[in-house]
Amino acid sequence: MLTMRGVHAGYGRSRVLHGVDVDVPGDGVAAVLGHNGAGKSTLLRVAAGLLRPSAGRVELDGTDITRLAPHERVACGIAYVPQGQQCFPHLTAAENLRLVADGRRDGTAATADVLDLFPALRPLLRRRAGLLSGGQRQQLAIARALITRPRLLMLDEPTEGIQPSVVTEIQDRIVALIAQTGFSVLLVEQHLGFALRVADRYHVLQSGRVTSAGDGGSTAERTVREALAV
């Protein structure tokens, strides 16, 4: 599905990624793990086309997309949900969804589908997004991305900033989403147990370099914790 090879990237003179290689399997989940400041979000911004690498390649199904703009990558089937339960707070939940749906031929059907995946959003559609809880805003952000019917969904810290009692609910929804849709997922997450439980492949990122990679699953948790020195 998605491959990143020898990617170097940063901001101005500050280099963040140093020759990073990442593989996201088709119809599978790849997790990128690491401490704050390791370069995880920068990696997703490169994959989404929001940041152009200074060197290296990004390929989707073997096609070089390194120079494609973000909207061109969306057209190729990539959807990106950044950190922070991002939404338009002064718009209702329904209006947030409509911003994406109105630009698509199948927008109405796609909206109905995502509301089936996130039924808790239905009674909240008339509520302003800024008045939703963190967990509800995160579901809204993911639902909005899914209206594009992506082949690859990229999630940046989907449980960050959500109260502990709701984290399990968000994790369960993501697990169900992966099982129901069958597309590929690139997941950045600090909850190792959850990330490795859903991941087919993991990559540990430290100081902008991949220091460990392998197959996911609960048996990988000890290896990852040792790599991160947690």
Side-chain angles (χ1 to χ4, degrees), residues 182-199:
F183 50 54
S184 296
V185 177
L186 178 55
L187 171 68
V188 164
E189 180 57 70
Q190 291 204 40
H191 286 75
L192 298 187
F194 162 59
L196 293 173
R197 177 162 58 95
V198 300

Side-chain angles (χ1 to χ4, degrees), residues 71-202:
H71 71 276
E72 294 173 310
R73 300 193 193 201
V74 171
C76 290
I78 295 178
Y80 170 48
V81 181
Q83 285 177 288
Q85 307 106 42
Q86 293 191 15
C87 62
F88 296 94
H90 298 298
L91 299 180
T92 66
E95 289 168 339
N96 269 268
L97 297 176
R98 198 176 303 132
L99 283 174
V100 179
D102 282 352
R104 301 186 59 83
R105 292 181 181 178
D106 63 342
T108 300
T111 300
D113 288 344
V114 299
L115 290 174
D116 287 341
L117 288 170
F118 295 100
L121 291 177
R122 287 190 183 276
L124 304 172
L125 290 176
R126 295 184 179 181
R127 187 176 300 180
R128 286 188 180 183
L131 299 178
L132 302 179
S133 70
Q136 291 165 344
R137 288 196 304 272
Q138 188 62 277
Q139 292 187 56
L140 178 61
I142 297 172
R144 193 172 56 194
L146 291 176
I147 289 176
T148 66
R149 299 194 187 279
R151 299 161 54 211
L152 171 65
L153 177 65
M154 301 192 300
L155 300 171
D156 192 355
E157 303 278 11
T159 63
E160 182 192 39
I162 297 174
Q163 56 188 19
S165 61
V166 184
V167 166
T168 299
E169 178 184 347
I170 294 294
Q171 291 179 352
D172 289 344
R173 293 309 306 153
I174 293 172
V175 170
L177 177 65
I178 292 168
Q180 291 177 40
T181 56
F183 50 54
S184 296
V185 177
L186 178 55
L187 171 68
V188 164
E189 180 57 70
Q190 291 204 40
H191 286 75
L192 298 187
F194 162 59
L196 293 173
R197 177 162 58 95
V198 300
D200 301 288
R201 185 84 181 158
Y202 75 85

Side-chain angles (χ1 to χ4, degrees), residues 8 12 24 33-34 44 47 49 63 65 134 138 146 153 162 164 175 189 212-214 217 219 224:
H8 294 256
V24 182
L33 309 165
L44 289 189
T63 299
I65 63 170
Q138 188 62 277
L146 291 176
L153 177 65
I162 297 174
V175 170
E189 180 57 70
S212 179
T219 57
V224 172

Side-chain angles (χ1 to χ4, degrees), residues 26-51:
D27 297 331
V29 181
V32 178
L33 309 165
H35 298 300
N36 289 334
K40 305 184 302 297
S41 293
T42 298
L43 184 146
L44 289 189
R45 288 176 58 82
V46 170
L50 297 170
L51 178 66

